[in-house]
């Protein structure tokens, strides 16, 4: 005889205001109202009209205010959207500047044109100008997820990323804008907020001290709940114990992206509970900036039952697999590449040929399912390209889409090694773990192609004495070379040279231009 003892939460009296004209069977999340209250922006994933089609991680859409409701949403267009994850971070108070997730570098000569980070676009008439990447010192994010908020005075960024000293999964980090326009190195908000689990979608109130965020690492009602905390004193690393916003908002589903508008009586967020598809947008009525906080969650204790000799079986809930989608492209052109792909995991070797690819909208892909935590190695052989090999771990909470970029098997091919950053005026890595992780991918490429030889090229910006800059850039690429040699790559396969500021990618003198010019590249010489 099977008996299940269930503990249930008290019936939830949610105050969700449904936005019927906006929600769909696709995934809507991360709402943000424009300062004038007339346009509601949000991210929609999985829609065929997105820049990257149905495999796109999400594009920005918006709905226009119409009487007491909202118009049908429209795609925000290529001005604000690129093939990666798109979302609104926030606005300037006058509505003339718009902050965005990630940056698409159309001028990049090699490697992925999509840069992880925060960008800003300026209004030009009735449209938005070309976004520019914010120069955030030593910015690094090893997660497919990124979300962020910017203060009303545009001086503080709070971001959800995996970076320096991350406690587990995504943590919240802050960065402060300097007088020169550059942003400080991101630092964690502290252990009162950051947990071993995931902290997402921060929103900083107009008082610059009240912070809302979503987490599955604090006590809540379900999968992910929205919490509120308050900055203690002047430190951005000292916060009060987070409080759950209560069952008027939070459910057993996923609530995220809570945002309070510049004016008005409705806050906005997304929830997977009672939605049309994945996530839907909802409003929450407020009569002041801070909603009433409800202690979370109260559990009804089951009535005591007399003991019997009944055998109680354990019901094991199956854990669903993690779906992973692999898209294979030419690193130079981002066009699809046919190749033989080998998956190795748990002692199993599985090969996939071009006939196994699926075509969905304009994307050709391979889809595989793995148990959570599975470690796998993906190897690719394609005519005209270097052999490719990379390790993955099947995890929830990260992007299921993996874009694998193949390097052409041609002498002269040049590739930037991203996120290899150094301390100021030093040849020491600013973040050793992140830099080594990036260089390990190059080491894997050379191990998979034993006849390959490269030249490492170091570049700085052009501020300072030209000879000293050349010496510094050479010392930096030597640091990269020394690490590669320590991992078994023969020094005879690695030449190196430092150019200082002699070969800039961007001739501008802004902080963003200087950031683009500071880089380490490798060139295939054999």
């Amino acid at each position: 005889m099977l008996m299940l003892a269930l503990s249930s939460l008290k019936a939830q009296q949610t105050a969700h205001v449904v936005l019927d004209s906006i929600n769909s069977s696709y995934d809507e999340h991360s709402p943000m109202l424009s300062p004038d209250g007339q346009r509601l922006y949000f991210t929609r994933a999985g829609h065929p009209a997105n820049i990257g089609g149905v495999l796109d991680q999400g594009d920005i859409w918006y709905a226009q205010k119409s009487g007491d409701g909202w118009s049908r949403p429209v795609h925000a267009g290529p001005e604000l959207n690129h093939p990666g994850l798109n979302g609104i971070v926030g606005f300037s108070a006058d509505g003339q500047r718009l902050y965005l997730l990630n940056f698409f570098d159309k001028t990049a000569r090699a490697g992925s044109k999509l840069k992880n980070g925060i960008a800003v676009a300026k209004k030009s008439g009735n449209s938005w100008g070309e976004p520019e990447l914010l120069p955030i010192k030593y910015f690094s994010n090893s997660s497919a997820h990124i979300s962020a908020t910017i203060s009303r005075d545009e001086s503080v960024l709070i971001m959800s990323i995996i970076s320096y000293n991350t406690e587990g999964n995504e943590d919240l980090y802050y960065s402060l804008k300097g007088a020169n326009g550059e942003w400080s190195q991101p630092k964690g908000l502290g252990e009162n907020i950051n947990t071993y689990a995931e902290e997402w979608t921060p929103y900083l109130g107009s008082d610059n001290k009240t912070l809302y965020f979503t987490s599955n690492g604090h006590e809540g009602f379900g999968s992910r709940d929205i919490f509120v905390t308050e900055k203690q004193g002047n430190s951005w690393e000292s916060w009060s114990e987070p409080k759950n916003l209560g069952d008027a908002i939070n459910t057993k589903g996923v609530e995220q992206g809570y945002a309070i508008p510049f004016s008005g009586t409705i806050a906005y967020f997304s929830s997977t509970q009672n939605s049309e598809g994945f996530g839907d947008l909802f409003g929450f009525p407020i009569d002041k900036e801070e909603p009433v906080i409800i202690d979370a969650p109260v559990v009804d204790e089951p009535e005591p039952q007399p003991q019997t000799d009944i055998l109680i079986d354990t019901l094991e809930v199956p854990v669903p697999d993690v779906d992973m989608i692999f898209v294979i492209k030419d690193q130079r052109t981002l066009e699809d590449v046919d190749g033989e792909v080998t998956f190795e995991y748990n002692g199993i070797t599985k090969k996939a040929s071009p006939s196994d690819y699926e075509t969905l909208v304009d994307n050709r892909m391979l889809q595989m399912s793995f148990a959570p935590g599975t470690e796998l190695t993906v190897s690719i052989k394609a005519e005209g390209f270097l052999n490719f090999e990379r390790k993955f771990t099947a995890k929830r909470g990260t992007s299921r889409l993996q874009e694998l970029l193949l390097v052409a098997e041609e002498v002269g091919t040049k590739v930037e090694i991203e996120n290899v950053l150094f301390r100021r005026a030093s040849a020491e890595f600013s973040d050793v773990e992140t830099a080594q992780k990036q260089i390990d991918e190059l080491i894997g490429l050379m191990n998979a192609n034993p006849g390959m030889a490269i030249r490492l090229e170091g570049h700085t910006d052009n501020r300072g004495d030209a000879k000293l800059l050349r010496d510094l850039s050479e010392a930096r690429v030597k640091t990269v070379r020394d690490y590669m040699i320590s991992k078994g790559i023969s020094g005879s396969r690695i030449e190196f040279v430092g150019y200082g500021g002699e070969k800039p990618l961007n001739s501008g003198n802004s902080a963003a231009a200087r950031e683009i010019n500071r880089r380490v590249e490798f060139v295939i010489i054999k």
Side-chain angles (χ1 to χ4, degrees), residues 92-259:
S92 60
D94 60 6
Q96 295 301 300
R97 288 175 298 283
L98 172 63
Y99 292 84
L100 303 159
L101 296 179
N102 296 320
F103 173 70
F104 191 71
D105 184 3
K106 299 176 182 177
T107 65
R109 299 177 304 165
S112 175
K113 295 177 182 290
L114 184 61
K115 309 295 183 184
N116 211 235
I118 307 296
V120 61
K122 297 178 182 178
K123 203 155 197 180
S124 177
N126 293 323
S127 61
W128 294 101
E130 192 81 17
E132 296 181 2
L133 184 66
L134 291 187
I136 303 174
K137 188 175 183 180
Y138 303 142
F139 178 85
S140 173
N141 178 26
S142 60
S143 172
H145 172 89
I146 182 173
S147 51
T149 181
I150 190 164
S151 61
R152 296 280 172 92
D153 62 4
E154 303 169 83
S155 67
V156 183
L157 275 171
I158 297 179
M159 299 167 284
S160 169
I161 54 177
I162 294 180
S163 193
Y164 317 99
N165 302 316
T166 292
E167 296 289 339
N169 291 294
E170 290 81 9
D171 281 348
L172 299 187
Y173 289 75
Y174 72 94
S175 176
L176 307 179
K177 187 176 183 179
N180 62 355
E182 294 190 10
W183 293 77
S184 65
Q185 177 178 338
K187 295 183 179 180
L189 294 192
E191 60 184 13
N192 259 15
I193 292 180
N194 293 327
T195 69
Y196 66 91
E198 298 155 336
E199 281 68 54
W200 287 0
T201 58
Y203 180 82
L204 187 62
S206 60
D207 59 2
N208 267 17
K209 65 178 182 179
T210 304
L211 178 69
Y212 303 88
F213 65 97
T214 288
S215 176
N216 59 356
H218 297 277
E219 186 177 4
F221 289 92
S223 178
R224 289 183 176 88
D225 280 4
I226 300 169
F227 295 82
V228 63
T229 181
E230 189 170 291
K231 185 160 68 81
Q232 305 296 291
N234 295 321
S235 173
W236 288 95
E237 298 176 33
S238 179
W239 297 83
S240 64
E241 195 70 27
K243 296 286 187 180
N244 190 294
L245 289 194
D247 59 4
I249 290 182
N250 293 317
T251 71
K252 64 182 181 181
V254 175
E255 281 72 45
Q256 62 174 325
Y258 186 87

Side-chain angles (χ1 to χ4, degrees), residues 406-425:
L406 303 191
V407 177
E409 193 176 17
E410 297 177 2
V411 171
T413 298
K414 180 176 291 189
V415 180
E416 180 180 349
I417 313 174
E418 298 184 357
N419 294 321
V420 176
L421 306 174
F422 298 87
R423 297 186 184 279
R424 186 176 181 86

Side-chain angles (χ1 to χ4, degrees), residues 56-96:
D56 197 304
Q57 297 178 57
D59 274 9
I60 297 168
W61 292 61
Y62 66 85
Q64 205 72 29
K65 189 72 175 174
S66 176
D68 293 332
W70 297 96
S71 69
R72 290 290 179 185
V74 296
H75 188 267
E79 289 178 336
L80 300 183
N81 289 302
H82 48 65
L85 173 63
N86 298 275
I88 302 293
V89 173
F91 293 87
S92 60
D94 60 6
Q96 295 301 300

